[in-house]
């Protein structure tokens, strides 16, 4: 079997290895729904990518379109995307838009959205549902993991020899917006129990272990544990490198102003402990302190990869800084 892409450390520096050789990605991410139509990609995306001298494209795949009815899978759109990338001599990093996207559950299939008893939503402190399926919902995580595993099996069957697809992003900026933690019944039971031993700093209850930040640590654990279940199911079918991305902490500096539970830099140790199948955490950088974010995301021995970034001219040179800092 052909050697799979992998993230590895050589001479103290993290690198992506593809076809047995280091590969520096000159890549760009397309917009959220651009890859939902093969025709749109042909007419409105690929022609504009050709002059950019890229060697990889970061593109979404959508649970909503892949499993429109439970247990029935459609990979026609994915196959077209892979075929187009091969024709353009580009590699693909695929974004799995599954249960969570930008702190909400926007791209889940309709059959998941309609069954709110089976796939229950997170709730605020008043008991009101928010537009995010709870990370404490085992049925939802299991359904996502099953669909993701089926996706990875299909990628292996279609692409193992050519390896157009080299990396996978799990979900997108996961977490819950507007609240510091989930107050659903399942979340409340978890919060009242002891912290799992795998968590850094665990010694008793969440409040005993983490004080006033206990709600945030609970959500970090919940999403990391869910990410591990989903990643592990996918890697059992096809063990490509997988990562998660973060909407960064920023003003007004309170949990819920960014998706609470996403892999912001100070919680990378939680993700490393609770989601060992996830190779690294990646920052989406729209804040001004670019160098500071790169410093934060290379701490804890975390490989640096930047899926999203400002497009304005003022920040164009950031790419040179990132490569100098060791970015993939």
């Amino acid at each position: 079997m052909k050697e799979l892409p992998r993230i590895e450390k050589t001479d103290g520096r993290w690198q992506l290895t593809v076809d047995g050789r280091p590969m520096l990605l000159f890549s760009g991410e397309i917009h959220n729904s651009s890859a939902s139509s093969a025709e749109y990609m042909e007419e409105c995306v690929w022609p504009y990518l050709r002059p950019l001298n890229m060697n990889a494209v970061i593109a979404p795949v959508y649970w909503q379109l892949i499993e429109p009815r439970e247990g029935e899978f459609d990979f026609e759109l994915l196959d077209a995307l892979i075929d187009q990338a091969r024709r353009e001599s580009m590699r693909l990093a695929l974004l799995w838009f599954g249960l969570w996207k930008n702190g909400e559950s926007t791209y889940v299939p309709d059959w998941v959205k309609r069954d709110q008893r089976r796939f229950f939503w997170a709730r605020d402190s008043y008991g009101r549902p928010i537009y995010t399926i709870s990370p404490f919902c085992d049925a939802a995580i299991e359904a996502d993991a099953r669909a993701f595993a089926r996706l990875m099996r299909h990628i292996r069957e279609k692409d193992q020899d050519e390896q157009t697809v080299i990396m996978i992003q799990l979900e997108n900026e996961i977490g819950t917006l507007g609240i510091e933690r989930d107050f659903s019944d399942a979340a409340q039971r978890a919060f009242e129990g002891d912290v799992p031993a795998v968590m850094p700093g665990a010694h008793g209850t969440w409040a005993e272990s983490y004080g006033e930040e206990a709600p945030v640590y609970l959500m970090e654990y919940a999403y990391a544990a869910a990410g591990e279940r989903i990643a592990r199911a996918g890697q059992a079918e096809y063990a490509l490198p997988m990562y998660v991305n973060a909407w960064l902490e920023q003003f007004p500096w309170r949990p819920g102003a960014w998706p609470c539970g996403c892999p912001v830099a100070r919680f990378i140790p939680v993700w490393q402990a609770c989601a060992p199948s996830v190779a690294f955490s990646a920052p989406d950088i729209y804040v001004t302190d670019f160098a500071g974010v790169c410093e934060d995301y290379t701490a804890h021995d975390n490989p640096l990869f930047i899926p999203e970034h400002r497009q304005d001219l003022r920040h164009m040179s950031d790419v040179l800084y990132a490569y100098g800092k060791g970015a993939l």
Side-chain angles (χ1 to χ4, degrees), residues 54-122:
M54 298 161 61
N55 61 11
V57 176
I58 309 172
V61 291
Y62 315 91
W63 186 13
Q64 188 177 38
L65 299 182
I66 283 174
E67 193 181 9
R69 288 165 295 281
E70 187 169 9
E72 298 179 16
F73 296 92
D74 182 351
F75 295 107
E76 182 178 357
L77 183 61
L78 172 62
D79 288 346
L81 180 63
I82 292 174
D83 291 340
Q84 290 171 352
R86 288 175 180 171
R87 182 197 65 207
E88 302 292 333
S89 299
M90 291 206 202
R91 307 281 186 157
L92 288 171
L94 295 180
L95 283 57
W96 171 237
F97 280 9
L99 273 174
W100 300 294
K101 196 269 179 194
N102 290 53
E104 296 183 337
S105 295
T106 312
Y107 284 89
V108 300
D110 290 347
W111 55 269
V112 174
K113 290 179 181 177
R114 286 194 295 261
D115 192 350
Q116 294 187 25
R117 181 180 297 274
R118 179 182 171 197
F119 306 114
F120 60 85
W121 299 79

Side-chain angles (χ1 to χ4, degrees), residues 147-273:
F148 183 63
R150 186 66 185 84
L151 168 75
M152 295 305 296
R153 185 195 315 169
H154 183 82
I155 295 172
R156 171 173 53 81
E157 291 169 349
K158 178 177 176 62
D159 193 51
Q160 186 171 17
D161 291 336
E162 296 198 39
Q163 293 183 4
T164 311
V165 181
I166 57 173
M167 220 163 36
I168 304 290
Q169 177 183 295
L170 290 172
E171 317 295 335
N172 189 83
E173 296 181 356
I174 63 177
T176 52
L177 282 170
I179 57 176
E180 67 173 0
R181 75 167 176 92
D182 181 6
F183 286 86
S184 66
D185 290 343
Q188 192 62 28
R189 287 193 297 272
F191 189 65
E192 292 169 357
D194 286 343
V195 178
V198 69
M199 279 286 289
H203 60 276
T205 66
W206 292 92
E208 289 168 345
S209 300
Y210 306 112
E212 64 181 17
E213 285 209 299
V216 185
Y217 272 91
L218 174 76
M219 299 307 290
E220 292 291 338
Y221 167 75
Y223 281 104
E228 173 62 15
R229 287 174 61 181
I230 296 164
R232 194 168 59 241
Q235 289 191 335
E237 294 290 347
Y238 192 37
L240 292 180
M242 297 179 183
Y243 68 94
V244 288
N245 67 324
W247 175 332
L248 300 182
E249 287 184 280
Q250 52 197 285
F251 183 82
W253 306 111
R254 63 174 182 269
W258 63 89
C260 193
C262 75
V264 294
R266 64 194 178 98
F267 291 115
I268 287 175
V270 173
W271 282 82
Q272 290 173 331

